[in-house]
Every structure is written in structure tokens, then in C-alpha cells.
Amino acid sequence: MIKRLTRASAAIAAATLLLTACAGGGDDGSGGGGGDPVEGGTVHMLQNADFSYLDPARGFDGGVNAFYRLIYRGLTMQAAGDAEDPNAIVPDMAESLGTPSEDGLTWTYTLKDGLKFDNGDPITSAEVAFGISRAWDPEIGIGSPWLKQTIAAPEDYQGPYLSGEHPGIETPDESTIVFHLIEPFPEFDNVLAQPNAVPFPVGSGAGDEFINDVIASGPYTLETYTPGSLIELVRNEHWDPETDEVRKAHPDAWEFEIGLEGATIDERLMAGQGSDVNAISGVIQPATLARVQTPELQDRLLTSPAYCTTYMSMNMTKAPFDQLEVRQAINWAIDRTSIQTASGGNQLADPATTIIPEAVNGHKDFDLYPSEDHGGDPAKALELLSQVGLEDGFSFVLDIRSQPKMQAQAEAIQQALKEINVEVELNVIDTSTYYETIGTPSQQSDAAITGWCPDWASSASTMVPPLVDGRLITDKGNTNLAQIDDETINARIDEISAMTDLEAANAEWGELDEEVMALAPMAPLVWEKGIFLPGENIAGYHPSTSLTDLTIIGLEDPSLG
């Protein structure tokens, strides 16, 4: 939900897929919807909310990250959704994955031949360097933080518009690009697969230029954009499939219908009339679950495990969440079973007790705040509150998205915390601006319900650190919503990040998860699984609760609908 719901996420909220700030995670391997896709036709996406931003330097959540794959390319990318390992990182515009220097401080890439923007202009190393450097712009660069966290740059560097060319990125010739890192980072190929590591023509995209229009490098380009209503994509005639081994781009066009109620989307997909046979959406609504048990609809249903954690952050810079006992009390009091029910029941969610979900490498099974059937322990919570003189309770403001499932989750929290005399006031924020708002410390309230997915699910390195590293707190695009800045936690992050044995490092990330939860900067709520109902004519559909690969989806019969 934030990442990237890292950055990666939580619920399907209201955008395309799972709105997270992250991108890792594949489907469950059960196969795509329908038969084999063929060329032609238009695929329709039915969704509630608009995308956060068309500009990948600004946007960073699961729904828009999936959309970006249709119109942008990078040096590397996450493998196709139907790949043997959909979490693998593979070359995209680069001829191969990067070549690191012996000391790990420089990485070199060579571009493929024949790369072009949608206007026919060639894509060279200069355009790649320029596009990536936009991440440092103080206004635009609010998307994925990984470029700024790994590529060396002077402290006063503020992107290409204010500071000129990036001193940490070299372009010795038109096809070669060299990155100088702050410190060795063995997973740097993954960093360049982030949505903001894409090329743009030098000098383009300043200010709000890319708010309503874009310059595409992928298989589709923007034909129409009516904010809050409609996005139409058509083929980019300058995209060369010979240079792209991942994106299949079967349809001639994509149409995103925005602003639909979740119940309306489900009704249309169940009825399957007209162009809706060619439609997909996010996960079905909890209320729809009982209605899709017919054999005809069961044949169309697809499922995906939870790669993301829905959680409630607690702002540790604001009283009383600056007190450990209060944060621990909240974790004891929350009734996760009622939140599971609000999320659609056990078919759609499992109670979460850790930050790292079970499906992500590095998960450690523990529960520091156990209760019978995950129903909460108000007595234990009140005991902790009495230790800090708050046995009579307090009130706080909880930020939530304007989305029915999150509203239901928030109401479940309200009911549980009433048992310990805590009043929760809900601050409802429009989905399209939600992550930007809570990611701006000056605008966030006392707490927020959101979610997080790993940016690459093969490693828990992007699951815990973005949420708790105190050195990553920023004025905009902040992912450490609790604003926790603990020296011991920060040091542990450095220690584990330096490990070259990925399997051993993942085990340590699980240990860190438990160390963090002892400090209780957040309360894990649920791991939300996905049930999807594609249209009857959809083919090659491999849905994910983190990042569904739209680029391999097509139609069985383009003449239908």
C-alpha cells in the first residue's frame, strides 16, 4: 500500500491491483487466466481510484508500478509474471545484468541497440542517466528511494533541473553507463528495476510536465488521460519487441476505467456483458465472495498468496506514541480476528504478527503479543497503560484511505481500542493522494493504516529496513511512518546489509523483525490474500497481491467484446 505498499501494501484498496509501495512477489504458480493470448483487441482495467502519478519519479505503489511496466523501460526489470521465478531480476534495456567492480563500488551496463522513445528519438546512455537523476529532485523525486540510497551523490545534489548532470553516473559513450555507489550493494540490479530508474529525453519532465502527459519507452504510449475517469493506451510504434524479452504486449490497446465502486466492478465482472469479457480488476470485494461460488464463476477465479503486510503505524514523534508501553499496549489490544473478518474472512486474509509475510524469504514465525485466537488481550494492554498513567485512556487520529475495506478495518480497531478507553478518530484521505500525504511527516496524523510489500521478494532486505531505518526519514516520500530512529536498529541494518550470504542475511532479517516488534513502532494487522475474477476472454493473467504483470496479459479472441 505505500510501496512500494517496498516498496511495495496491504489491501487492494482502490487502484488497479494492490496499492503498496512495493513491487515484489509473484503469483502462486496455479496458471494464468484463460487460454493462450493472441495479438489484438483492447484489455479493460476496472478500478476505483486514479493512479497516484503517471510520472514514475513520483509514483510508487503496487497499482501504478504495474501500470508503469506498460509504458516505461529500465536497464533491468522484474521477470515476467509467468516466469519460472517471477521474482527474478532480468535485463531489460541492458544487454545483461550489471558488471560490478572488484570492490563492488561501480556497476557497468551496456545498452541494447535499437531503443527508442515513442517519438522515435533514440535512447542512449545520456537519456538513461538523466531519467535516473530525476529521483534527486526535491519536488519530483518522491517515488522509490533506492536510487538515492545506493548511488553516490554530493549532499547538495538536487537533480538535473537544479544541479545539472549527476556526478555519480558516468556515460563514457552512447551505450555505456557506469554507476558509482555509496558502498557495495550486491543487489544493485534490483535497484535499477525500480519504477523511477527509467530514461527520459534530457531536459524533459520538469515541474508538472508529466502530470497529464508522458514520454513512453515501453510497448504502449498515452493516448488519452482524463484524471479520475479514463486512461487509454495505444501501441508505441517505435517499441521494438526484438529488444524486449519480457513484455509480450499482446493487446492493441489498454483502457483503464477509473472511479468505479468496488461492488460495481464485481457486478460487471460477474455478469460479463459486452467489453467486460475483456476486463480485469483488483481483488474481489469481501461482500462478493459468497456470490462467486457457482461453478461457472469458480472456473474463472484465480488466487494469489499474501506478499504484503497490512499494518497500523504509530507516529513515535507524537504523544503518547512516544512511549514504548503505549505502543505495546496497542499491539496487545488489537483484535486481529475482527480485522481479518473486516478484510473478507479467512479466504482473503490471515492475522499478521510479524512484519515479514510468510511468503517472503526471511520470514520468522513469532508473536510477541499473543492472545486467544488473535482476539486481543485488553487486560494486558490496560496493565501497560497504567504503568504510564494512561489507564483512563487517550485519543488519537488514524489516517485511512477512502476505501470500504480500510474503513471496515479501521472500525474494527476502533471497537477493540474502546475496551482500553482509547478513542480513535478517523481521518479519511482520498486514495489517489493517500500515500503522498502519509509519506509527508508534516501532514501525517498520529497513526495510519497502510501496507508494505518487498521491492524484491527474493529477499527481506526491502521489507523491514524501509519502515524502521531512522536515517531514511525524509520530508517527502517518507516510508518510515513511525519515524523510529533507534541506533541499535540502524546498526543492525548496516550489519545485515553487509552480509554477502543471502540465505544467512535473510535469517538475520527475520531476527531483526522480532527486535523491531519488541519496540512496537507499528502493529501488524493482516496478510491479505488475493482472489481475482478476470473476464471470460482474458488470457495469460497471473495475478499477484503485490505486482501483477500486465505486460503478458491478452485476449483469447480479440473479436469479442
Side-chain angles (χ1 to χ4, degrees):
M1 289 190 162
I2 275 189
K3 338 218 71 69
R4 210 165 219 147
L5 319 179
T6 116
R7 62 205 187 91
S9 176
I12 172 82
T16 312
L17 305 158
L18 234 244
L19 283 180
T20 70
C22 19
D27 66 43
D28 63 357
S30 60
D36 295 328
V38 298
E39 302 300 304
T42 299
V43 172
H44 296 257
M45 172 66 79
L46 311 181
Q47 60 190 64
N48 173 263
D50 206 344
F51 293 121
S52 51
Y53 289 102
L54 300 185
D55 185 345
R58 296 178 187 256
F60 191 42
D61 55 71
V64 77
N65 289 348
F67 173 78
Y68 288 152
R69 284 169 70 96
L70 293 171
I71 58 176
Y72 299 122
R73 299 184 66 179
L75 290 170
T76 64
M77 68 183 299
Q78 187 174 315
D82 59 354
E84 184 176 347
D85 180 5
N87 295 324
I89 299 299
V90 297
D92 186 4
M93 294 191 304
E95 291 183 348
S96 66
L97 295 178
T99 302
S101 60
E102 188 173 342
D103 63 4
L105 288 175
T106 62
W107 285 66
T108 302
Y109 296 81
T110 301
L111 290 175
K112 296 173 181 175
D113 295 328
L115 302 170
K116 295 181 180 180
F117 290 111
D118 58 6
N119 62 1
D121 289 346
I123 298 174
T124 72
S125 58
E127 286 74 37
V128 176
F130 172 80
I132 289 175
S133 68
R134 298 178 72 244
W136 277 260
D137 185 271
E139 295 298 322
I140 294 172
I142 59 175
S144 171
W146 287 101
L147 295 170
K148 291 181 284 187
Q149 291 174 15
T150 55
I151 301 174
E155 288 188 10
D156 61 352
Y157 184 71
Q158 298 188 70
Y161 311 113
L162 299 175
S163 302
E165 294 183 1
H166 195 299
I169 307 175
E170 288 186 73
T171 54
D173 57 53
E174 290 191 346
S175 62
T176 304
I177 183 164
V178 181
F179 298 92
H180 296 272
L181 306 191
I182 299 170
E183 57 188 9
F185 194 79
E187 296 179 289
F188 188 64
D189 283 322
N190 301 63
V191 172
L192 293 182
Q194 294 297 288
N196 54 353
V198 301
F200 283 109
V202 175
S204 66
D208 291 340
E209 182 180 339
F210 290 163
I211 293 294
N212 294 310
D213 198 6
V214 299
I215 299 172
S217 48
Y220 297 96
T221 187
L222 188 65
E223 176 76 4
T224 303
Y225 179 38
T226 304
S229 177
L230 178 68
I231 297 176
E232 293 178 311
L233 302 181
V234 296
R235 288 195 184 277
N236 170 11
E237 62 182 20
H238 296 288
W239 171 74
D240 182 358
E242 295 297 319
T243 69
D244 196 332
E245 298 177 2
V246 176
R247 300 170 184 84
K248 303 308 178 188
H250 296 292
D252 289 330
W254 280 79
E255 185 171 297
F256 296 80
E257 298 180 46
I258 304 165
L260 304 174
E261 293 294 331
T264 300
I265 293 173
D266 288 354
E267 290 289 346
R268 287 177 55 174
L269 289 173
M270 286 189 290
Q273 301 295 313
S275 64
D276 288 342
V277 299
N278 302 332
I280 60 175
S281 72
V283 298
I284 64 173
Q285 301 296 303
T288 304
L289 194 58
R291 302 181 55 204
V292 293
Q293 305 305 317
T294 64
E296 179 185 1
L297 295 179
Q298 282 286 309
D299 287 344
R300 278 202 274 148
L301 285 181
L302 295 171
T303 63
S304 178
Y307 281 88
C308 312
T309 298
T310 302
Y311 68 95
M312 185 183 80
S313 65
M314 289 172 273
N315 190 338
M316 292 170 58
T317 69
K318 297 186 177 183
F321 292 134
D322 56 344
Q323 300 181 78
L324 173 62
E325 293 84 357
V326 173
R327 303 191 303 272
Q328 290 177 328
I330 297 297
N331 269 282
W332 280 107
I334 285 177
D335 181 348
R336 289 170 175 81
T337 300
S338 68
I339 297 174
Q340 178 188 40
T341 300
S343 305
N346 59 13
Q347 287 186 270
L348 291 177
D350 292 320
T353 62
T354 67
I355 301 171
I356 304 172
E358 295 177 350
V360 175
N361 291 348
H363 169 80
K364 178 182 179 181
D365 190 23
F366 66 87
D367 185 357
L368 298 185
Y369 310 97
S371 60
E372 185 176 355
D373 296 326
H374 300 289
D377 189 337
K380 181 66 176 178
L382 283 168
E383 179 184 328
L384 285 165
L385 291 181
S386 67
Q387 293 178 16
V388 291
L390 289 173
E391 59 272 15
D392 293 331
F394 60 92
S395 64
F396 71 90
V397 177
L398 176 64
D399 291 335
I400 66 169
R401 289 194 317 272
S402 56
Q403 192 268 337
K405 185 189 293 185
M406 183 172 281
Q407 181 87 24
Q409 292 169 339
E411 290 171 354
I413 290 175
Q414 279 182 317
Q415 291 300 315
L417 297 190
K418 277 184 179 179
E419 298 294 317
I420 59 170
N421 306 313
V422 173
E423 180 181 347
V424 183
E425 177 186 343
L426 304 185
N427 178 37
V428 182
I429 302 171
D430 184 78
T431 297
S432 63
T433 59
Y434 183 70
Y435 301 110
E436 181 178 357
T437 300
I438 65 173
T440 305
S442 63
Q443 297 180 29
Q444 69 178 121
S445 299
D446 304 305
I449 296 179
T450 184
W452 196 255
C453 305
D455 288 329
W456 43 90
S458 60
S459 165
S461 62
T462 65
M463 194 72 211
V464 180
L467 306 184
V468 300
D469 191 331
R471 298 159 298 183
L472 303 184
I473 299 171
T474 56
D475 292 337
K476 287 190 174 184
N478 178 49
T479 58
N480 183 345
L481 299 184
Q483 297 188 60
I484 177 174
D485 190 3
D486 183 273
E487 290 185 3
T488 301
I489 295 297
N490 295 346
R492 282 283 284 142
I493 290 172
D494 290 342
E495 175 189 343
I496 303 170
S497 297
M499 296 176 65
T500 56
D501 184 332
L502 183 58
E503 185 176 349
N506 273 330
E508 289 301 313
W509 290 126
E511 295 295 331
L512 177 64
D513 190 347
E514 187 167 6
E515 293 166 29
V516 168
M517 283 311 304
L519 298 177
M522 65 193 73
L525 302 177
V526 286
W527 294 310
E528 299 191 46
K529 299 172 283 189
I531 298 181
F532 303 81
L533 183 67
E536 289 186 55
N537 197 35
I538 291 292
Y541 182 45
H542 294 254
S544 167
T545 54
S546 179
L547 180 77
T548 294
D549 187 3
L550 304 183
T551 71
I552 61 173
I553 296 173
L555 303 176
E556 287 190 53
D557 183 353
S559 68
L560 296 181

